[in-house]
Amino acid sequence: QQQVKQSPQSLIVQKGGISIINCAYENTAFDYFPWYQQFPGKGPALLIAIRPDVSEKKEGRFTISFNKSAKQFSLHIMDSQPGDSATYFCAASMVDKIIFGKGTRLHILP
Amino acid sequence: DSGVTQTPKHLITATGQRVTLRCSPRSGDLSVYWYQQSLDQGLQFLIQYYNGEERAKGNILERFSAQQFPDLHSELNLSSLELGDSALYFCASSAEVRTDLTGELFFGEGSRLTVL
């Protein structure tokens, strides 16, 4: 019940396309859902986050869609660029811990 | 630059040995987290400290231990090392004690441990 399931494991998208990464959780005690972006040789960094009382949050080309009843949330990257190539982690947070998904390696073809 | 400093960046050692990884959090951050990253398991939460006290425990093996010192730096001790302990170990820091407030952790660049 502490797991966060993330898919796909890897994703290849053409430049200008839409990248979609999905996550699911089971524990309803989670109440904050951040996404982290990690470039090779670097630590993860917060990209965007959402709380479950909101169904969608958009920051530039990045959008989180949240479905509370289904316990699912997803990251959409519009107009994907080669610079977006990185590993993306979804996460679910409660009072005393943040649980990360296993990550999605995204590669944007030029 | 996240402001979190981890040393060493790379470490190669043999099975059965003991190593210590060090983390200096961002200035002013009281919470320190340790994560293990492997290819097949993603980011696994190990342990959290807040202002010197253990706050939360995750999937940390008994062979591993950690502490946070009065100056807020933290050390992760890994002993009786096995091949499977080879991984990237990340330290992260946060201003908050609770992870559901802002959810933002600031990660260091990691310490890559190779056990031969």
Side-chain angles (χ1 to χ4, degrees), chain A residues 31-32 34 36 38 41-44 46 51 89 93-98 100-102 105, chain B residues 35 37 39-43 48 55-56 90 98-105 107-109:
Chain A
D31 59 2
Y32 191 73
Y36 281 75
Q38 183 182 27
K42 301 293 184 182
L46 181 66
R51 293 201 180 274
F89 292 94
S93 172
M94 60 175 76
V95 170
D96 58 359
K97 58 175 64 80
I98 297 179
F100 287 84
K102 292 189 176 183
R105 287 193 170 190
Chain B
Y35 283 85
Q37 184 178 29
L39 279 176
D40 58 342
Q41 292 297 319
L43 278 166
Q48 178 202 359
R55 169 76 180 176
F90 282 105
R98 288 173 53 177
T99 54
D100 61 338
L101 292 180
T102 65
E104 182 161 16
L105 301 184
F107 283 82
E109 295 195 345

Side-chain angles (χ1 to χ4, degrees), chain B residues 5 13 24 26 46 52 55 62 74 76 84-86 89 100-101 106 108 113:
Chain B
T5 303
T13 187
S24 294
R26 284 192 325 159
L46 296 178
R55 169 76 180 176
E62 285 192 12
S74 178
L76 179 67
D85 297 328
S86 296
Y89 291 85
D100 61 338
L101 292 180
F106 295 87
L113 172 66

